[in-house]
Amino acid sequence: MLPEGTNGTSGGGLAVPMAWLCAEYTADEVLRTGGLVEPGSLEYRAGRETLALTVYLCEASDGPADGRAPSRLDEWLSVTAYGHPWRDWVRERIAARESFERDVTGADPDLALARDAWTWLERTELLAADLGEDGGLWHPALGPDPAADESAQVWTPAWRLGLPLGHLAIHLY
């Protein structure tokens, strides 16, 4: 695979993971604009990594689109929506890209960073409000669950906290 960018040397220079870096920048911009959590916190990182994976894996084969384009925002909202099987969606998309990498392109530095982000999101647990077994205390159409005790906290994978945070940040963007 030819690198998307190089370090300025000629012939086979360092591959720069531009697609992942653009996705991470977009996720950071969306979260900062929303102002929902303090930048630098683990909650912020969970939201940024979740959004970056969403942006990267939604990216069409014709290249990145303007992050503020309505169709792009609608796609991100749909993928991060309550009830969408985001975790399965990520696993399927990464597996498909890994298969393509093996069969066609060779090592992909963007995919390597996406895999690292996914590993961090799955293995890192954060102490958060108990979202219940179904993954949410609330549904946008129903409002908060009146029986839920929001002071109860549990350890949860980072993506479970980052997903609703990212979804809300997209709405505020």
Side-chain angles (χ1 to χ4, degrees), residues 1-2 15 21 27 36 59-60 66 73 81 85 88 90 97 102 112 115-116 118 127-128 145 148 158 160 164 170:
M1 176 176 116
L2 293 175
L21 293 175
L36 298 170
E59 182 178 293
D66 176 12
L73 291 176
D88 295 336
V90 168
R97 288 186 182 217
R102 264 190 317 275
R115 277 192 298 256
D116 289 346
W118 178 235
L127 190 59
D145 179 354
R160 282 194 180 253
I170 295 166

Side-chain angles (χ1 to χ4, degrees), residues 97-121:
R97 288 186 182 217
E98 286 173 338
S99 176
F100 184 72
E101 177 185 62
R102 264 190 317 275
D103 298 342
V104 179
T105 64
D108 181 355
D110 294 302
L111 184 56
L113 290 174
R115 277 192 298 256
D116 289 346
W118 178 235
T119 299
W120 185 86
L121 285 166

Side-chain angles (χ1 to χ4, degrees), residues 4-141:
E4 294 179 85
T6 63
N7 64 358
T9 62
S10 59
L14 176 66
V16 178
M18 291 306 295
W20 177 259
L21 293 175
C22 288
E24 203 169 45
Y25 173 82
T26 300
D28 193 61
E29 181 181 327
V30 169
L31 277 175
R32 285 183 189 274
T33 300
L36 298 170
V37 291
E38 187 67 31
S41 66
L42 284 175
E43 293 83 0
Y44 185 87
R45 181 173 178 195
R48 187 190 67 217
E49 298 298 311
T50 300
L51 269 178
L53 265 175
T54 301
V55 170
Y56 173 71
L57 295 173
C58 281
E59 182 178 293
S61 60
D62 59 350
D66 176 12
R68 287 195 182 259
S71 63
R72 184 58 53 139
L73 291 176
D74 290 344
E75 183 179 13
W76 299 343
L77 283 169
S78 173
V79 170
T80 60
Y82 178 84
H84 184 276
W86 187 83
R87 181 183 192 188
D88 295 336
W89 177 83
V90 168
R91 287 178 171 170
E92 290 168 9
R93 291 284 177 114
I94 287 177
R97 288 186 182 217
E98 286 173 338
S99 176
F100 184 72
E101 177 185 62
R102 264 190 317 275
D103 298 342
V104 179
T105 64
D108 181 355
D110 294 302
L111 184 56
L113 290 174
R115 277 192 298 256
D116 289 346
W118 178 235
T119 299
W120 185 86
L121 285 166
E122 277 202 307
R123 292 186 180 169
T124 302
E125 291 194 344
L126 302 175
L127 190 59
D130 187 356
L131 300 176
E133 286 185 29
D134 64 352
L137 289 173
W138 65 278
H139 184 281

